[in-house]
Amino acid sequence: MYKIQLALKKIFASPVLFVFLFVCFSKVAYTQNSTLEFAEKEFDFGQIEFQDTLSHKFYFKNSSEEEIKILDITTDCACTFSKENSDNQTVLKGDSSFVELMFLPYSYGSFVKIFTVKTDKAGTQTLMLKGELRPALDKERDFKYSLQTMPEVRTKTKYLHFGNVLNRVPITKKFEFYNASKEDLIFTGKMETPKHIQVRFDSSHILKAGELGAIYVIYDPLLKNDFGYLEDSVILFGTQAKQPNKISFKVTSNIEEYFPTLNVEMLEAYPELKIEDDYASLGSHYLKNLEGKDSLEATFVLKNTSNMPLRVHRIIEGYGCKLVTEKTEWNEILPHSNAIIKVVFQTPEDRGNYVRSLTLICNDPRKPIRTLKIKADFR
């Protein structure tokens, strides 16, 4: 310990050595404050068609008090590089500039490419390009579904589908059409839509002949006030070759109830559904004895075991079974009460083992979607 103290006294006793150390430490601290401030450090191309070259400019500013030189830009694979003059450039203090980074795609799918920018006084910076490459669009191949009222107008999918939608806020989705005819279709703005659906056009209101066009559909699940898989019809009116015309299509969605993130204590404030037995077996029956009549019936007991009213939004009948209990009897189940639903198992045409099912949608956040099954054997 004494030797260390003596060594420190000798160092600080030398004025020349002290000044040298002060300058060195000051230079290190000063260099650490030298920086290039990038406006962004990653860029997402999103979903784009496959193309030969993708490039993006990353803008930055030298916010230090000295010039900074970009020494090199290294990449994570041979398919990426920086454009000429991006590296080996000197940026004066307070000046702004950019580096242009490029990617040469070689396959479809998602990609993430990393670039490392090395400088003489500002250390290193990491930049990223990412996105998803899709095959180039082929109008004749990809738009294969003709609209019923106007077959020469085609879509990518049979219906304009919104997918799973929470009953929380309206959502907007873009849908493309291909006009395979030789005449422009000019939308008049007149349309027939349910109250929960709105349609917006671009400023031209024109679906040009031989080209793609798009509409924006606004879907409000709260106004729809229903759950499960749903279909709606939309009709858009227009003119083609100065003659009135129209296109009609289906808009579909699968609406689910929105629940916030809940812990165990919060769940106590929500209703809870218990089903006495969600699988009913009707045993074996001789097909000839039924004589084509739907005489087999299954019963399910729904129990609300909570202190809150339970809402059964919807019971969806599967193929081969029919719900016979009126909705008013099971739509709302009071606290600590039961509801009984009866389902007819429709007689099949052939012998064999059959399983029918129903889907129940309720406001129990623990499991809002339930499946009820019925089994029967026909000899």
Side-chain angles (χ1 to χ4, degrees), residues 284-330:
S284 297
H285 304 270
Y286 287 102
L287 194 59
K288 63 180 181 179
N289 292 340
L290 295 176
E291 298 179 351
K293 296 179 181 179
D294 297 329
S295 58
L296 300 182
E297 188 176 271
T299 300
F300 295 94
V301 180
L302 311 181
K303 297 182 177 181
N304 179 4
T305 60
S306 69
N307 296 318
M308 302 292 294
L310 173 75
R311 288 193 62 84
V312 178
H313 299 303
R314 192 178 179 195
I315 298 179
I316 305 170
E317 301 165 331
Y319 174 78
C321 58
K322 183 175 179 59
L323 180 65
V324 294
T325 308
E326 294 294 331
K327 185 175 182 178
T328 54
E329 298 185 35
W330 49 259

Side-chain angles (χ1 to χ4, degrees), residues 162-176:
F162 272 83
N164 293 336
V165 177
L166 294 176
N167 67 332
R168 192 178 184 187
V169 295
I171 58 175
T172 302
K173 196 169 182 179
K174 177 182 176 182
F175 295 98
E176 290 183 309

Side-chain angles (χ1 to χ4, degrees), residues 142-147 153-160 175-178 249:
D142 297 333
F143 289 78
K144 58 184 178 181
Y145 293 94
S146 296
L147 299 183
V153 175
R154 305 205 296 258
T155 57
K156 286 183 180 179
T157 55
K158 188 175 181 180
Y159 304 129
L160 307 191
F175 295 98
E176 290 183 309
F177 293 91
Y178 170 44
F249 49 85

Side-chain angles (χ1 to χ4, degrees), residues 1 6 21 37 76 78 93 144 175 228 231 249 277 321:
M1 183 66 182
L6 182 62
L21 290 173
E37 293 183 354
D76 60 349
K93 66 176 183 178
K144 58 184 178 181
F175 295 98
E231 293 184 3
F249 49 85
D277 192 349
C321 58

Side-chain angles (χ1 to χ4, degrees), residues 214-225:
I215 62 171
Y216 294 86
V217 181
I218 305 166
Y219 193 99
D220 190 335
L222 289 173
L223 283 178
K224 179 62 175 175
N225 193 28

Side-chain angles (χ1 to χ4, degrees), residues 172-329:
T172 302
K173 196 169 182 179
K174 177 182 176 182
F175 295 98
E176 290 183 309
F177 293 91
Y178 170 44
N179 183 0
S181 73
K182 296 181 180 180
E183 299 287 345
D184 293 349
L185 175 62
I186 304 172
F187 294 109
T188 63
K190 179 185 175 183
M191 61 188 74
E192 292 180 3
T193 66
K195 64 180 181 179
H196 63 282
I197 292 178
Q198 300 179 48
V199 178
R200 298 287 183 267
F201 308 95
D202 64 17
S203 58
S204 69
H205 278 58
I206 298 175
L207 181 56
K208 293 184 177 180
E211 295 187 14
L212 298 180
I215 62 171
Y216 294 86
V217 181
I218 305 166
Y219 193 99
D220 190 335
L222 289 173
L223 283 178
K224 179 62 175 175
N225 193 28
D226 204 347
F227 294 87
Y229 178 80
L230 303 165
E231 293 184 3
D232 292 287
S233 295
V234 172
I235 301 176
L236 306 179
F237 293 85
T239 60
Q240 192 174 38
K242 298 183 179 180
Q243 296 297 318
N245 215 327
K246 64 182 179 181
I247 63 173
S248 62
F249 49 85
K250 296 281 189 182
V251 175
T252 62
S253 67
N254 186 56
I255 299 182
E256 301 175 351
E257 184 161 3
Y258 167 75
F259 297 103
T261 302
L262 302 169
N263 57 33
V264 176
E265 292 181 356
M266 295 168 68
L267 279 173
E268 294 180 0
Y270 283 83
E272 184 172 10
L273 171 65
K274 296 288 186 182
I275 301 177
E276 194 168 89
D277 192 349
D278 58 8
Y279 191 96
S281 178
L282 301 181
S284 297
H285 304 270
Y286 287 102
L287 194 59
K288 63 180 181 179
N289 292 340
L290 295 176
E291 298 179 351
K293 296 179 181 179
D294 297 329
S295 58
L296 300 182
E297 188 176 271
T299 300
F300 295 94
V301 180
L302 311 181
K303 297 182 177 181
N304 179 4
T305 60
S306 69
N307 296 318
M308 302 292 294
L310 173 75
R311 288 193 62 84
V312 178
H313 299 303
R314 192 178 179 195
I315 298 179
I316 305 170
E317 301 165 331
Y319 174 78
C321 58
K322 183 175 179 59
L323 180 65
V324 294
T325 308
E326 294 294 331
K327 185 175 182 178
T328 54
E329 298 185 35

